[in-house]
């Protein structure tokens, strides 16, 4: 079903060094039997998510933040994220989900987007969507 997509946001050093994204995607695919698009928005280096599922599963789309969402027109950061407020970054980017879905032609048929935290694991079949 290409009319639905799951959107994950993985920001920060801690998230990029963990396997939460991979575990979430594997659970959605295996236990959840979800075969639709999964979009991962991340600030991790581009090579971070170049692994087997990203090469073989064309329904997984890894995106990186647009510069305009991070910096002003002079290249200065729009926000200063610290250890105390780092969770605000992913919360802020949730407001841009529709914008990012619109950037990839493979997602043109998507009508419904589910946002999931990366620490969510599928407990049973997702066919109820």
């Amino acid at each position: 079903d290409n009319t639905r997509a799951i959107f994950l946001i993985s920001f920060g050093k801690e998230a990029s060094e963990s396997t939460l994204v991979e575990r979430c995607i594997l659970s959605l695919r295996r236990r959840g039997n979800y075969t639709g698009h999964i979009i991962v928005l991340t600030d991790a280096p581009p090579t971070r998510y170049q692994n087997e599922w990203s090469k073989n599963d064309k329904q997984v789309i890894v995106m990186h933040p647009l510069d305009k969402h991070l910096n002003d027109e002079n290249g200065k950061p729009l926000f200063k994220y610290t250890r105390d407020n780092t969770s605000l970054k992913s919360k802020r980017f949730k407001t841009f989900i529709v914008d990012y879905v619109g950037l990839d032609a493979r997602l043109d048929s998507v009508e419904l987007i589910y946002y999931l935290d990366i620490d969510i694991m599928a407990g049973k079949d997702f066919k109820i969507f």
Side-chain angles (χ1 to χ4, degrees):
D1 181 9
N2 285 331
T3 64
R4 297 164 194 252
I6 292 176
F7 201 98
L8 309 172
I9 297 177
S10 177
F11 282 150
K13 184 178 179 196
E14 203 173 299
S16 72
E17 291 177 351
S18 75
T19 58
L20 286 172
V21 169
E22 288 90 343
R23 291 177 61 209
C24 179
I25 291 172
L26 284 174
S27 85
L28 291 168
R29 292 290 191 232
R30 291 180 181 167
R31 186 173 292 223
N33 292 314
Y34 179 74
T35 59
H37 293 293
I38 298 175
I39 302 105
V40 179
L41 180 64
T42 183
D43 61 355
T47 56
R48 167 60 183 88
Y49 293 109
Q50 289 177 351
N51 54 34
E52 285 310 306
W53 57 258
S54 66
K55 291 176 188 171
N56 297 322
D57 188 342
K58 301 303 178 199
Q59 297 284 75
V60 175
I61 300 168
V62 178
M63 296 182 163
H64 291 86
L66 297 174
D67 188 61
K68 70 179 183 179
H69 293 152
L70 297 171
N71 303 306
D72 66 17
E73 60 276 354
N74 298 316
K76 292 186 178 183
L78 292 170
F79 297 96
K80 180 174 172 121
Y81 296 104
T82 65
R83 184 176 177 174
D84 294 329
N85 73 359
T86 191
S87 67
L88 294 177
K89 189 173 186 180
S90 61
K91 289 178 182 172
R92 182 171 172 271
F93 274 84
K94 286 179 195 177
T95 66
F96 298 125
I97 287 175
V98 172
D99 297 334
Y100 283 93
V101 169
L103 294 175
D104 194 306
R106 293 174 287 180
L107 304 171
D108 286 350
S109 61
V110 171
E111 298 172 1
L112 186 60
I113 306 160
Y114 300 99
Y115 169 80
L116 295 178
D117 288 334
I118 61 172
D119 61 351
I120 299 295
M121 301 298 144
K124 64 180 185 177
D125 199 308
F126 266 46
K127 298 230 188 253
I128 57 171
F129 283 163

